[in-house]
């Protein structure tokens, strides 16, 4: 199945600014991962700059009109080698479900919405209340070519994981099938940066039944290790777009994680610093008020 529009060509690219296995979502070119999310009350995009020590600055509303993408936004890293983090999402376009892209401008904002290609309906799923979600996730740089890459779960293909390598010109190459059986992880799958200090991007997700946090180590060639369970008790984070890999959020070179925890007092954002050996430190509460925010994963 051809998933990207024909004729999409790469532009002449500048040298990569940083290893995307470590840094996926830097929107102001300071070398620190940042966070973006869509609020499902006003359908506006909000941004929080990382401070380099595991914290966030104040939220800033970037723009509104994101109602078609609040269930599928992904912080895909740098797609055109300008050193700025970019965004992609699935939405209804000229021919069914299409993939859209926004280039980061390096000052915390984003350029115009661009349709890349259609045929992405297999990479969606419907939740229990009838909302369609995009089953696509930013993965960091999976083949170490300096471009941000994308993965997705195909509901029409035995829940197989597919990946698309970024081509350096703002688009993606044709999809590559990785393996089956990813259905239990499609709600929370996300790229987390480099978790085991081997220089390769890794994936994390929470299992649908087990509520266990699991890791798949990337090998740098588009392949992954077998699933490694590293902890249970993640029930509060098993919601669409409520957990997101941050790349390096603390400045130590390790991939980190954030998640919005559904508590009786409201939704609280937590962060977990990667320890460089495939695990995470203790969760740190970062602040309340995250009920209506759907994180870019």
């Amino acid at each position: 199945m051809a998933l990207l529009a024909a004729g999409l060509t790469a532009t002449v690219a500048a040298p990569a600014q940083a290893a995307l296995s470590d840094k996926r979502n830097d929107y102001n070119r300071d070398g620190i991962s940042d966070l973006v999310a869509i609020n499902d009350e006003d359908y506006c995009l909000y941004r929080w700059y990382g401070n380099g020590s595991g914290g966030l600055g104040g939220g800033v509303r970037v723009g509104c009109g994101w109602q078609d993408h609040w269930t599928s936004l992904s912080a895909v890293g740098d797609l055109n080698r300008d050193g700025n983090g970019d965004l992609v999402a699935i939405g209804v376009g000229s021919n069914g479900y299409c993939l859209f892209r926004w280039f980061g401008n390096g000052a915390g904002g984003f350029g115009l919405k661009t349709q890349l290609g259609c045929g992405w309906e297999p990479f969606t799923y419907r939740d229990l209340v009838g909302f369609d979600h995009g089953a696509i996730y930013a993965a960091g740089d999976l083949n170490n070519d300096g471009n941000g890459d994308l993965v997705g779960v195909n509901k029409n293909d035995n829940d197989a994981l597919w990946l698309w390598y970024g081509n350096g010109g703002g688009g993606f190459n044709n999809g590559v099938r990785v393996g089956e059986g990813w259905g239990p992880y499609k709600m929370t799958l996300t790229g987390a940066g480099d978790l085991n200090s081997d220089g390769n991007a890794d994936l994390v997700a929470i299992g649908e039944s087990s509520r266990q946090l699991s890791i798949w180590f990337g090998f740098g060639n588009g392949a992954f290790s077998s699933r490694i369970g590293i902890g249970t008790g993640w029930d509060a984070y098993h919601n669409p777009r409520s957990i997101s890999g941050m790349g390096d959020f603390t400045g130590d070179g390790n991939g980190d994680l954030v998640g919005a925890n559904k508590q009786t007092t409201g939704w609280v954002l937590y962060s977990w610093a990667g320890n460089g050996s495939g695990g995470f430190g203790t969760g740190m509460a970062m602040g309340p008020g995250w009920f209506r925010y759907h994180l870019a994963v």
Side-chain angles (χ1 to χ4, degrees), residues 52-144:
S53 57
L56 294 169
V60 174
R61 189 171 68 181
V62 178
C64 299
W66 292 75
Q67 58 268 22
D68 293 335
H69 307 293
W70 64 278
T71 59
S72 66
L73 192 66
S74 294
V76 73
D78 183 7
L79 293 179
N80 60 342
R81 297 196 177 194
D82 63 356
N84 306 321
D86 306 314
L87 299 174
V88 297
I90 291 175
V92 176
S94 62
N95 187 18
Y97 280 97
C98 303
L99 188 70
F100 296 88
R101 181 205 66 220
W102 298 260
F103 284 141
N105 62 15
F110 299 91
L112 296 176
K113 173 180 174 179
T114 300
Q115 181 178 298
L116 296 182
C118 299
W120 289 79
E121 192 276 339
F123 296 92
T124 66
Y125 68 93
R126 182 159 293 180
D127 66 21
L128 295 177
V129 295
F131 288 112
D132 287 338
H133 296 259
I136 60 167
Y137 320 93
D141 181 8
L142 294 178
N143 60 345
N144 294 318

Side-chain angles (χ1 to χ4, degrees), residues 43-259:
Y43 296 113
C44 297
L45 183 72
Y46 291 80
R47 182 207 67 235
W48 297 261
Y49 286 144
N51 62 15
S53 57
L56 294 169
V60 174
R61 189 171 68 181
V62 178
C64 299
W66 292 75
Q67 58 268 22
D68 293 335
H69 307 293
W70 64 278
T71 59
S72 66
L73 192 66
S74 294
V76 73
D78 183 7
L79 293 179
N80 60 342
R81 297 196 177 194
D82 63 356
N84 306 321
D86 306 314
L87 299 174
V88 297
I90 291 175
V92 176
S94 62
N95 187 18
Y97 280 97
C98 303
L99 188 70
F100 296 88
R101 181 205 66 220
W102 298 260
F103 284 141
N105 62 15
F110 299 91
L112 296 176
K113 173 180 174 179
T114 300
Q115 181 178 298
L116 296 182
C118 299
W120 289 79
E121 192 276 339
F123 296 92
T124 66
Y125 68 93
R126 182 159 293 180
D127 66 21
L128 295 177
V129 295
F131 288 112
D132 287 338
H133 296 259
I136 60 167
Y137 320 93
D141 181 8
L142 294 178
N143 60 345
N144 294 318
D145 65 353
N147 304 319
D149 303 320
L150 193 66
V151 296
V153 177
N154 188 328
K155 66 185 178 185
N156 297 339
D157 184 24
N158 295 315
D159 287 325
L161 187 74
W162 284 69
L163 73 85
W164 299 266
Y165 292 130
N167 63 17
F172 297 92
N173 296 323
N174 288 333
V176 177
R177 191 178 191 270
V178 178
E180 299 178 3
W182 289 76
Y185 307 100
K186 65 187 176 184
M187 191 180 292
T188 57
L189 188 64
T190 184
D194 181 11
L195 297 177
N196 61 340
S197 304
D198 65 353
N200 300 318
D202 307 314
L203 300 177
V204 300
I206 300 168
E208 183 175 358
S209 298
S210 67
R211 299 296 199 264
Q212 182 182 46
L213 187 69
S214 296
I215 292 176
W216 295 261
F217 292 130
F219 295 145
N221 60 359
F224 298 93
S225 71
S226 299
R227 183 185 67 85
I228 302 169
I230 63 170
T232 57
W234 290 78
D235 305 61
Y237 302 96
H238 192 261
N239 302 288
R241 310 272 152 183
S242 67
I243 192 163
S244 178
M246 290 295 293
D248 182 12
F249 192 42
T250 58
D252 61 0
N254 303 320
D256 306 313
L257 198 62
V258 298

Side-chain angles (χ1 to χ4, degrees), residues 275-286:
N275 61 18
S277 359
F280 295 94
T282 303
M284 303 291 292
M286 302 176 66

